[in-house]
Amino acid sequence: MIIAQISDLHIAGPGKKTYGIAPMAENLGRTVDHVNGLRPRPDLVIVTGDIAMNGRQEEVELAVDLLNALQMPCYIVPGNHDDRETLWSVCSGRYCPERHDEFISYVIDDFPVRLLGLDSTVPGQPGGEICPRRAAWLDARLGEEPEKPTVLFMHHPPVKCGVLETDVDGFTGAERLGEIIGKYRNIEAVLCGHIHLPASVRWQGTVVSTAPSIGMELLLDLTMQLESAFYLADPGYQLHYWSPQNNLVTHTGYVQINEGPYPFADSPGGT
């Protein structure tokens, strides 16, 4: 089983660049074509939030028009730049199969690894949250299949990563979420976006992993002194490979032109 993860699309609308700089719609089209061309082809794609730049319907509709070209199922959870109701109105059914109360949270149980999409957004706020209602829903769903390998995916990482977007924006209910996750030994990973960088950290007996953006690479400043900024970059994505040895292996890839591949065979010492 192969899960392709893309994140932080920040689509600004037809004919527009995000912040007037980043060609995110073009990048999404390139990413979709690239994912379709992967061999073996991923079984599904998850999009971990920030579909739109400003939460507008025209932005979501443009993103969906581009995602429609994917040749495998695709599932979306909202990010802090998304408007939950707008996202649901455009994406319910194919991309957002269910919702719990007002939250876009759901279960995908058609694969060897079970996936739970979590809505971690707070309207009008940049940080994340798992409130008591979302926590109760998650605990109930995890209790249904306590032995089956499971992956959670949501927008906000619930642990500080040394990045302004997590450390300053915050995550309300991280301890509540951590207590639930710590109860279950079958959670292989918590897959997130938000920080526009690939990162991983051990947390509550599992791994929290974040995916890069599809073209807006965050300035990493571990001093936490500089204002948040981004570079234009090649679109990034992650592949999460459930191996025959029952391990979840994560690879980070980029949509770029590479020369090669060249064999190591004639190279002294191999790799």
Side-chain angles (χ1 to χ4, degrees), residues 199-215:
S200 61
V201 56
R202 190 76 176 167
W203 184 71
Q204 295 295 333
T206 188
V207 175
V208 175
S209 172
T210 62
S213 165
I214 61 161

Side-chain angles (χ1 to χ4, degrees), residues 46 90 109 133 252 267:
I46 58 173
V90 177
D109 210 1
R133 282 189 294 158
T252 301
S267 175

Side-chain angles (χ1 to χ4, degrees), residues 132-232:
R133 282 189 294 158
R134 280 176 275 194
W137 178 87
L138 174 63
D139 198 9
R141 301 291 77 75
L142 290 171
E144 293 169 346
E145 292 278 4
E147 303 297 328
K148 185 174 182 179
T150 297
V151 165
L152 313 184
F153 65 101
M154 60 186 180
H155 182 63
H156 300 86
V159 59
K160 291 185 177 183
C161 299
V163 178
L164 283 172
E165 272 66 11
T166 52
D167 294 21
V168 175
D169 290 351
F171 194 108
T172 303
E175 183 176 346
R176 178 185 299 121
L177 175 62
E179 289 176 355
I180 293 171
I181 288 176
K183 290 168 52 179
Y184 297 93
R185 306 299 298 173
N186 61 323
I187 299 175
E188 299 293 332
V190 181
L191 307 180
C192 307
H194 191 52
I195 67 171
H196 292 222
L197 291 167
S200 61
V201 56
R202 190 76 176 167
W203 184 71
Q204 295 295 333
T206 188
V207 175
V208 175
S209 172
T210 62
S213 165
I214 61 161
M216 296 167 61
E217 179 182 318
L218 201 74
L219 168 66
L220 177 61
D221 170 41
L222 294 177
T223 71
M224 303 285 287
Q225 299 298 311
L226 300 178
E227 291 187 7
S228 183
F230 68 91
Y231 297 98
L232 293 180

